[in-house]
Amino acid sequence: MPEVAELMQHRPRTGEDASDFLARLRASTTPEEAVTFTAFAALPQMAIWWGYESLRSMPEAIAARDRDLMELIAAWIATPTDDFRHRIMRTALYAPVRSPAVMLGLAVGWSGGSIAPNDTAPVPVYRAPRSINSAVLSGLAKMPLQRRSVHLARVIALAETLYRAF
């Protein structure tokens, strides 16, 4: 996706697989690019699961008003129906604040299929990954500065499990 090039400075090397590229990003001066790479490289449902688990590992990033939305996202991950997806999208679109959970909810809405029950327009493929990236990075930004690198390391370690599974 050309949109990922706008968000990342590093590029994979010839012959470098996803796991090796992720390890190189983790060791770089901009390890946050590992978040961006994962958001774009994983299949939408897997990337949303990863984003959900990443946010759950940072409870300070989830406002009380977003707990119901996070439960809906968890339900969609377990049973990815269009009804759940549309309900989550509607909730996220009308949320008063674009919080990390709301950004993840938007990603669910943009993850595939029609954008709304009565609108068959296709969603650009970069919308969900860009929203997942924003959700996880904004969640990290809400962490206390002295613990942010620890949370980032956990998020990247969770991302590594996606690449080991394939």
Side-chain angles (χ1 to χ4, degrees), residues 20-43:
D20 292 338
F21 184 48
L22 188 67
R24 188 163 55 89
L25 291 172
R26 179 182 212 162
S28 75
T29 57
T30 53
E32 298 82 7
E33 286 192 354
V35 171
T36 303
F37 170 68
T38 300
F40 277 84
L43 294 172

